Amino acid sequence: MANNIPSLDRLIDSFASLPGVGRKSASRFAYHVLDMNEEDVIAFSEALAEAKRNIHQCPICHNLTDSDKCSICEDERRDRSVICVVESARDVNSIERTHEYKGLYHVLHGLISPMDGIGPEQLYIKDLLHRVADEDIKEVIMATNPTVEGESTAVYIGKLIKPFGVKVTRLATGVPVGGNLEYADDITLYKALEGRSEL
Ligand SMILES: [Zn+2]
């Protein structure tokens, strides 16, 4: 390390551990923190710790929440007969932004990926099947990303759900192949939802 100030190096290392932050940006953030007043720095660090402490998974859909249940499962106005299955809680945000979808969600927290050693049992697939079995579900929308892992996860789950007599649909291919829901613009995502077809 060039600084010879262990506390500063540690701060830079912490920023550099974030996704998409290189050493240069990490160093810029660290020096910026040193220029901030102490109250703001404490508020910043408390926001990190508090978010980590309070935010957990919704016991029903595994979306993130700081209450007992997430705000979507709690919302009586949502259509309880449709479940949209996504890879991550970030995808819930992306779809909510379109204001097109009024149903519920189920967050898998990953995709089946034998290359990375992730099998179906590591995802929340069993919980999804319980919901389909126990509740009056009419449609499950597979909204995983259009990557190899996203497609094979959608097909795998679709096969498990169909025997329950529930319609399984897949987003239209408006989302670019190999792309990511998170980066799809709202209109693309809106069209992908609207043009979904049976799997
Ligand atoms: Zn929930």
Side-chain angles (χ1 to χ4, degrees):
M1 271 325 142
N3 296 304
N4 283 320
I5 308 169
S7 310
L8 181 56
D9 289 337
R10 204 177 137 217
L11 185 57
I12 294 171
D13 286 345
S14 298
F15 280 122
S17 72
L18 298 172
V21 179
R23 301 293 309 174
K24 231 177 170 175
S25 301
S27 167
R28 194 158 47 87
F29 292 160
Y31 280 101
H32 177 79
V33 167
L34 297 179
D35 285 335
M36 286 162 69
N37 69 48
E38 197 169 344
E39 286 119 77
D40 290 345
V41 173
I42 289 168
F44 188 92
S45 68
E46 277 175 357
L48 289 175
E50 216 177 275
K52 186 63 193 165
R53 200 164 43 235
N54 295 344
I55 298 175
H56 53 88
Q57 289 180 15
C58 170
I60 298 166
C61 72
H62 299 281
N63 188 15
L64 297 178
T65 180
D66 55 8
S67 318
D68 288 348
K69 285 189 227 163
C70 80
S71 55
I72 295 167
C73 286
E74 202 83 77
D75 188 346
E76 292 298 328
R77 290 161 304 177
R78 306 289 301 210
D79 178 355
R80 289 177 182 273
S81 69
V82 189
I83 297 178
C84 180
V85 179
V86 292
E87 175 186 347
S88 74
R90 288 194 308 273
D91 296 331
V92 173
N93 259 326
S94 304
I95 294 174
E96 284 300 287
R97 266 202 331 254
T98 68
H99 301 290
E100 155 77 348
Y101 180 67
K102 304 281 177 250
L104 304 175
Y105 288 93
H106 194 85
V107 184
L108 297 170
H109 288 273
L111 295 172
I112 299 168
S113 175
M115 297 275 279
D116 304 309
I118 303 170
E121 64 290 341
Q122 275 141 282
L123 310 173
Y124 293 102
I125 295 175
K126 258 191 200 147
D127 293 28
L128 173 64
L129 296 179
H130 284 305
R131 291 178 73 187
V132 170
D134 299 344
E135 291 155 41
D136 196 13
I137 307 297
K138 293 192 172 59
E139 181 182 357
V140 172
I141 304 169
M142 294 306 308
T144 48
N145 291 322
T147 55
V148 173
E149 289 84 8
E151 291 297 345
S152 51
T153 304
V155 170
Y156 179 88
I157 294 176
K159 278 187 186 150
L160 295 175
I161 289 175
K162 276 182 190 166
F164 291 97
V166 170
K167 185 163 132 191
V168 182
T169 54
R170 182 84 178 110
L171 288 189
T173 47
V175 181
V177 173
N180 196 311
L181 249 57
E182 201 187 343
Y183 303 115
D185 63 87
D186 296 1
I187 293 173
T188 305
L189 211 49
Y190 175 92
K191 284 189 176 154
L193 261 168
E194 218 181 31
R196 66 187 184 267
S197 55
E198 208 149 340
L199 192 78

